[in-house]
Amino acid sequence: MTPSVLVVGAGIASISLCTALRTAGHQGRITVVGAEPELPYDRPPLSKTFLTGTTSSEQLALRPPSWYEEQRITMLMGTPTTLLDPEARRVELADGTKLDADIVVLATGGTPRTLPVPDGPLRDAVRTLRTHRDAEALRARMTAGTRLLVIGAGLIGAETAASASQRGCRVTLVDPDPLPMARAVGPEAAAFLHAQHTDHGVRTITAGIKELTTSDGTAAVRAALTTGEVLEAELVLVGIGITANTDLAQAAGAAVDRGVLVTADMRSSLPGLLTIGDAARPLGPDGPRPRIEHWDNARRTGERAARTILALPEPPPRAPWFWTDRYGRHLEMAGHYDPEAEPTHRGNLAAGDGSILFLRDGHCVGAVSVDRPNDIKAAQRLIDRRIPVTAVQVADDRTPLRTLLA
Ligand SMILES: Cc1cc2nc3c(=O)[nH]c(=O)nc-3n(C[C@H](O)[C@H](O)[C@H](O)COP(=O)(O)OP(=O)(O)OC[C@H]3O[C@@H](n4cnc5c(N)ncnc54)[C@H](O)[C@@H]3O)c2cc1C
């Protein structure tokens, strides 16, 4: 039997799934329904080159428009799915359309968390960044001299601060954590990343937000900080993370815990329902693991789901990988930062050219680099293949890391 597949959500996870199905010769019907009006586009540039103006809307497209027809994939864009009937394997769209398929895949991503903002003329000045439309609106307001307050110095907040400073905005970045991202990349790489803001004229403040007010008749949003300071800004970006879009799965009775719980082959607790990308939370032997909100994970989980649908064997697990770009520097991380592991340096990361590999029990468990993607490519393979390495081998910066793979 060639199962028909219906995918709810049209981001990178969804398109990776469709691509993998067709590449493997799947002949069945594929339908993708997406809440946003645009054909699938890439999100990472939204906080980077799209905000600075060097990437256009057209360049964001994940596939050219002709691709969907060539691949016989029906795209129903601009209409959210409102109901999922897992027994009938049917979904209902906001316009009343009902669609069924042998297999339903949720690829619904996440929604940015925000902060309470009272109604008032400046409500629109407080924004989040997830979609193309969000980025367009933000970019239009990022004129030179605009005071921008960025709340949250994670991936999206920090990248937006960098892009805005490049556009001539006067940027203040507030985060309660004195070393944002340290748990993800380790303290040394986090210190390098955070110091970049100050080096480029962005004011960083370690504080939480007590209150945002917008209705006192001034032309600016007022942000009361936990330190007692009050900041004013014409534009505010709230970058405090996302919540997984799990409503459909939850209402359908799937097991959900801050993400749709899935096994390694991306199956949810309901037969015929898979979940991929940011919306999925993997189950490990000891229970749910942290949800991963990175582009490569979305891509790979889409490919994994395709193998499940095609009844192909599961691929071996891969070390997670992500990147971030700010102020012209490119950071990559593979595997996990482990505070118990021995940090081993190649080059000088603190000076903006180097890598740190985290070694534990004679193996690499994680690696972070600035402007050294080849180190990360090799480190990822060292992790995946569990190749034994020593600190002396890793620290020898004259020998490419890939030679350790032989
Ligand atoms: C600004 C920005 C910058 C980023 N930069 C990086 C980076 O540098 N490195 C990195 O590794 N990762 C980065 N990421 C994260 C990465 O883009 C995400 O992990 C990835 O997009 C997740 O893909 P997804 O397909 O799971 O979800 P999404 O891309 O969010 O796609 C989900 C889609 O489903 C739709 N949808 C939701 N509910 C419904 C419904 N009920 N009916 C129909 N459709 C629905 C949504 O509208 C959306 O279009 C960034 C993300 C953003 C927002």
Side-chain angles (χ1 to χ4, degrees):
M1 185 192 97
T2 307
S4 54
V5 179
L6 181 100
V7 195
V8 181
I12 179 70
S14 172
I15 292 317
S16 301
L17 163 71
C18 297
T19 306
L21 284 173
R22 287 297 188 232
T23 306
H26 176 77
Q27 295 294 327
R29 176 162 50 90
I30 302 179
T31 309
V32 175
V33 288
E36 294 180 71
E38 300 95 338
L39 283 171
Y41 60 88
D42 215 10
R43 292 183 204 281
L46 294 180
S47 48
K48 308 174 181 74
T49 46
F50 186 78
L51 275 192
T52 55
T54 50
T55 294
S56 66
S57 298
E58 293 69 36
Q59 288 169 324
L60 294 174
L62 282 169
R63 299 285 183 273
S66 56
W67 184 85
Y68 301 96
E69 210 181 311
E70 283 158 22
Q71 299 296 321
R72 294 172 295 106
I73 297 171
T74 306
M75 302 297 291
L76 300 175
M77 302 304 299
T79 315
T81 300
T82 48
L83 200 75
L84 163 65
D85 176 345
E87 263 171 45
R89 306 212 178 158
R90 177 171 300 146
V91 303
E92 193 171 320
L93 311 191
D95 64 5
T97 307
K98 292 185 176 60
L99 302 163
D100 45 35
D102 299 313
I103 294 179
V104 177
V105 184
L106 294 180
T108 46
T111 302
R113 288 199 201 97
T114 190
L115 293 169
V117 186
D119 272 332
L122 295 174
R123 197 180 164 78
D124 259 9
V126 181
R127 324 230 26 128
T128 54
L129 175 54
R130 181 78 187 175
T131 64
H132 176 227
R133 292 192 167 187
D134 293 340
E136 275 187 322
L138 201 58
R139 190 172 69 175
R141 287 169 164 82
M142 277 185 175
T143 47
T146 298
R147 289 175 297 173
L148 168 68
L149 168 63
V150 178
I151 301 172
L155 203 97
I156 287 167
E159 289 184 351
T160 302
S163 301
S165 76
Q166 201 175 320
R167 289 180 72 91
C169 296
R170 291 184 283 155
V171 186
T172 305
L173 178 60
V174 176
D175 194 297
D177 187 341
L179 207 49
M181 292 195 64
R183 267 171 297 161
V185 298
E188 290 171 80
F192 171 80
L193 287 177
H194 205 49
Q196 278 189 303
H197 296 301
T198 323
D199 294 346
H200 290 83
V202 169
R203 183 180 172 210
T204 57
I205 302 177
T206 302
I209 301 290
K210 256 180 26 198
E211 192 185 20
L212 291 176
T213 51
T214 61
S215 52
D216 67 349
T218 71
V221 178
R222 288 164 65 85
L225 308 189
T226 47
T227 51
E229 189 175 354
V230 176
L231 298 172
E232 288 197 345
E234 287 80 41
L235 185 60
V236 177
L237 176 79
V238 182
I240 55 172
I242 62 166
T243 49
N245 290 330
T246 57
D247 290 0
L248 286 172
Q250 185 137 26
V256 167
D257 177 5
R258 286 166 287 162
V260 182
L261 297 179
V262 292
T263 47
D265 57 3
M266 312 319 296
R267 290 178 203 270
S268 75
S269 62
L270 298 177
L273 180 69
L274 279 62
T275 303
I276 55 179
D278 283 6
R281 183 169 179 201
L283 281 165
D286 307 321
R289 294 198 175 129
R291 206 163 47 76
I292 303 178
E293 296 167 1
H294 292 136
W295 185 91
D296 189 54
N297 175 66
R299 193 171 67 87
R300 285 188 189 284
T301 53
E303 290 170 358
R304 274 181 175 269
R307 294 184 73 88
T308 303
I309 292 167
L310 297 165
L312 294 172
E314 254 179 61
R318 293 289 309 266
W321 169 77
F322 76 91
W323 80 98
T324 176
D325 293 316
R326 309 135 183 223
Y327 307 106
R329 309 315 287 263
H330 176 74
L331 178 138
E332 289 188 28
M333 172 89 202
H336 297 280
Y337 166 63
D338 177 350
E340 306 287 312
E342 180 192 348
T344 308
H345 293 75
R346 290 171 62 81
N348 188 348
L349 184 142
D353 176 25
S355 306
I356 303 174
L357 275 74
F358 301 102
L359 305 188
R360 190 163 180 167
D361 302 329
H363 292 90
C364 179
V365 293
V368 61
S369 86
V370 174
D371 289 340
R372 288 195 175 198
N374 286 342
D375 276 2
I376 295 299
K377 254 189 221 109
Q380 196 173 19
R381 290 193 193 126
L382 289 175
I383 300 169
D384 289 341
R385 296 191 208 156
R386 279 204 51 82
I387 295 175
V389 288
T390 65
V392 173
Q393 286 174 315
V394 165
D396 176 6
D397 202 20
R398 290 159 307 172
T399 312
L401 261 189
R402 65 168 189 279
T403 57
L404 301 180
L405 298 167

